[in-house]
Amino acid sequence: MEAYLTLIQVLDSTIRLATPLLLACLAGLYSERAGIFDIGLEGKMLAAAFFSAAIASLTGSVWLGLAAGITASVALSALHGVASITFRGNQLISGVAINFLAAGMTVLIAQHWFSQGGRTPSLFAGGRFEPVTLPFADSIADVPIIGPLYSELISGHSVLVYVAFAAVPLTWWLLYRTRFGLRLRAVGENPAAVDTAGVSVIGLRYAAVVICGILCGLAGAYLSTALQAGFVKDMSAGRGFIALAALIFAKWRPWYALWATLLFGLFGALETRPDVIESLTGMKVQGQLLGALPYIMTVLILAGFGGKAIPPRAGGEPYVKER
Amino acid sequence: MDVMPKWAEVILVPLISLLLAAILSALVILGIGEDPVEAVKLMVNGALGSTYGWGYTLYYATNFMFTGLAVSIAFHARLFNIGGEGQAMLGGLGVAIACLYIPWPHWSLALVGAAVMAGLFGAAWAAIPAWLQAKRGSHIVITTIMFNFIAASLLNYVLVNLMRPQGSMDPATARFPEATNLPTLHDLLAPFGIEFSKAAPANVSLLVAMAACVLLWLLIWRTRLGYEIRAYGHSESAAKYAGISPVKITMIAMIISGALAGLMAVNNVMGEAERLVLNSTEGAGFIGIAVALMGRSHPLGVFIAAILFGFLYQGGAELALWTSIPRELIVVIQALVILFTGALDNMVRMPLERIFLALRRARSSKPERKEG
């Protein structure tokens, strides 16, 4: 029973840590499936984290905060779109610029607005996403096995967690069961064919980039208004890059993205519980190794060990209409 | 055919891009309620107004020369090495091993030894992503990003568990022995009767970095290998047709790139801190991207851009000291430079090309009219 409760605890923090990764990973999925590489996920998440915490703290409403976070993230997405779609610039360099822009601007504005060393004031009730208690969670909490599973693990997360998990089947449906999804995937594989069919390559790519911005906005808002109560400098802490790694791990597919981010979330959860690993494997595993594991595994996958990950074929290439 | 004359391509386009970045930076400063003119004055004074300021400016510039050159050589082969940060971290490990475990009799020998180790470690860290790209087709940008994070974890492990002196709580190595301490610009310039601040960390590595600029220029524009690297970067298929091996070029360009990034550690680890600490690179690997873009991947351009960024860094530190503008202003400026000189290059180029085309048509259409 003791072990079972520990397991539930670890899985519970796995879900908390996987949520921002999942949202950012799906964000990257839309963008890259449409042929736009996006290494600026990190920056967009960071900008969204700041603006949602800042506006939530100023207005006292977490929903206004969420809207501000999404707006900031979509604005950066639009910048990426202008650079890489309209002006056919280098998508990777644009992503790097966006990461730096977010890292600098968030601290600059935070200092100007709040003068607290680049952080926002702590958020209180109303300014935060509170845990949602699902129906009957309290009444069956004492039932063995199912009780803790339902009331601890499944119930009691912020609404954004449920949004993130619902986004997986939604993304699958949108990509594989709608005309928009078909075209979006096609524009990442063979934009010339889409163009010939009379569909706007530019329009589709901008749509994908905007969806990416919205999802990154949700991921960032989750960081500062649900996972923590306020923004601190550099709080995305490389999550955008782990999401990118998860995307490769998931081979650019929505359901795989769920498993990949849950796996990486599990590494994160275990990193804070060395006692669990020790009792499980009988070995002392270095925390640094667990932290680096997502990156190492991604390199191995990229190298083609354990199933080849093939990115969308037109990824990274600006589309030039034939003359 | 080139639409624009060479001078416009080399000077006008980057200049306009930089101007746009500068205007936006000024607007940002205005936006946070400070006076941009006052800010620039403070920065110039703090970074260039004294030998102390110059000492810091040149110290930072040395770091950026190495990382800027590292990004440049990879750019020439059309490889985007975003892993300078990790390669520089590993370079630092090489320097620390060389300085701590080999009894050097004199700093000059120690400099050579540490530089070799730094270069080797940096090159090795770049060689793995290079090999994965050349042989297994894994995208070098993604692998080098991953290698930055792996390097950070590795360094964390080594410093906490292996190289930390007994009884110390700091995740850092012991201080390097006296004999490995590099002479600062103060020591170097004193024999010539030039007074230079003792407190500033600029040191003999600056000369190494300048030598690297010259050597890299020779390599890229005066050797067969350099020609092959440029040819490959220009057109992979043409280079292949000419018998240039993509595997060879990718490996060599990345190994040189990694070695240059690793060499940065001679300046910051051996020359300044004199011990290896966590996060010793302080983002210099990423600034190398801005420096390379701004310098158009030319060693002379990198040299100038590195000094400009050195100025921004030191000036930014002074600004943070005397005003309420945080140091992150430099990060914003860096972002704008990367954005305008790198990603939004065409935004400046396209209208310029149109102007030059119109000018040329206006000139050539008068003497002969062949259309119709």
Side-chain angles (χ1 to χ4, degrees), chain B residues 86-137:
Chain B
Q87 290 144 20
M89 272 181 212
L90 264 282
L93 192 58
V95 166
I97 292 172
C99 288
L100 286 173
Y101 301 123
I102 303 174
W104 300 101
H106 189 254
W107 67 263
S108 55
L109 288 175
L111 175 62
V112 174
V116 168
M117 282 290 274
L120 279 178
F121 271 59
W125 205 246
I128 309 168
W131 184 82
L132 289 172
Q133 153 108 9
K135 284 286 193 186
R136 312 209 49 120

Side-chain angles (χ1 to χ4, degrees), chain B residues 94-300:
Chain B
V95 166
I97 292 172
C99 288
L100 286 173
Y101 301 123
I102 303 174
W104 300 101
H106 189 254
W107 67 263
S108 55
L109 288 175
L111 175 62
V112 174
V116 168
M117 282 290 274
L120 279 178
F121 271 59
W125 205 246
I128 309 168
W131 184 82
L132 289 172
Q133 153 108 9
K135 284 286 193 186
R136 312 209 49 120
S138 13
H139 203 299
I140 201 149
V141 170
I142 305 293
T143 39
T144 47
I145 290 176
M146 300 299 143
F147 266 64
N148 281 339
F149 287 103
I150 301 173
S153 298
L154 180 69
L155 203 67
N156 191 313
Y157 172 76
V158 168
L159 287 182
V160 170
N161 297 296
L162 304 178
M163 290 181 84
R164 188 172 48 148
Q166 262 185 343
S168 155
M169 290 305 287
D170 249 7
T173 66
R175 210 156 257 295
F176 299 159
E178 192 87 10
T180 65
N181 294 357
L182 297 178
T184 62
L185 283 193
H186 168 81
D187 304 326
L188 289 175
L189 293 174
F192 302 101
I194 301 172
E195 285 283 337
F196 201 88
S197 166
K198 226 177 197 170
N203 60 72
V204 67
S205 318
L206 173 64
L207 303 179
V208 182
M210 286 160 71
C213 288
V214 176
L215 285 176
L216 203 69
W217 179 79
L218 284 173
L219 174 79
I220 297 175
W221 275 283
R222 287 291 178 273
T223 66
R224 185 196 169 96
L225 177 66
Y227 176 77
E228 288 182 351
I229 290 176
R230 281 183 297 134
Y232 176 80
H234 218 71
S235 161
E236 187 182 335
S237 51
K240 255 195 229 161
Y241 189 70
I244 297 171
S245 153
V247 175
K248 183 184 125 187
I249 297 297
T250 303
M251 290 301 292
I252 291 181
M254 278 302 285
I255 281 173
I256 298 174
S257 176
L260 282 164
L263 274 175
M264 186 196 109
V266 171
N267 186 43
N268 67 338
V269 176
M270 192 179 182
E272 201 257 342
E274 291 167 356
R275 63 185 190 141
L276 182 60
V277 296
L278 267 185
N279 193 22
S280 59
T281 47
E282 291 181 318
F286 295 119
I287 294 180
I289 299 167
V291 168
L293 285 170
M294 199 164 142
R296 298 265 136 168
S297 301
H298 189 289
L300 181 64

Side-chain angles (χ1 to χ4, degrees), chain A residues 24-116:
Chain A
C25 186
L26 291 174
L29 192 130
Y30 281 101
S31 184
E32 301 209 350
R33 270 301 177 108
I36 305 289
F37 277 159
D38 194 350
I39 55 176
L41 296 175
E42 175 85 6
K44 279 179 247 183
M45 224 199 273
L46 190 65
F50 168 70
F51 280 100
S52 39
I55 298 300
S57 139
L58 291 174
T59 64
S61 157
V62 70
W63 293 102
L64 285 178
L66 178 66
I70 290 178
T71 309
S73 170
V74 170
L76 286 179
S77 264
L79 181 63
H80 188 53
V82 168
S84 54
I85 304 169
T86 304
F87 288 112
R88 291 183 233 130
N90 187 319
Q91 298 169 7
L92 301 164
I93 291 177
S94 162
V96 170
I98 283 169
N99 286 337
F100 282 121
L101 198 59
M105 284 304 270
T106 49
V107 177
L108 228 53
I109 300 176
Q111 184 63 21
H112 179 52
W113 284 359
F114 305 107
S115 311
Q116 294 189 7

Side-chain angles (χ1 to χ4, degrees), chain A residues 120-168:
Chain A
T120 63
S122 294
L123 299 172
F124 298 104
R128 286 196 69 189
F129 279 107
E130 302 293 341
V132 177
T133 310
L134 294 181
F136 314 117
D138 291 329
S139 49
I140 67 162
D142 295 328
V143 179
I145 308 295
I146 305 173
L149 184 74
Y150 184 73
S151 59
E152 284 281 318
L153 186 58
I154 298 176
S155 170
H157 292 287
S158 111
V159 63
L160 292 180
V161 173
Y162 302 108
V163 169
F165 278 78
V168 176

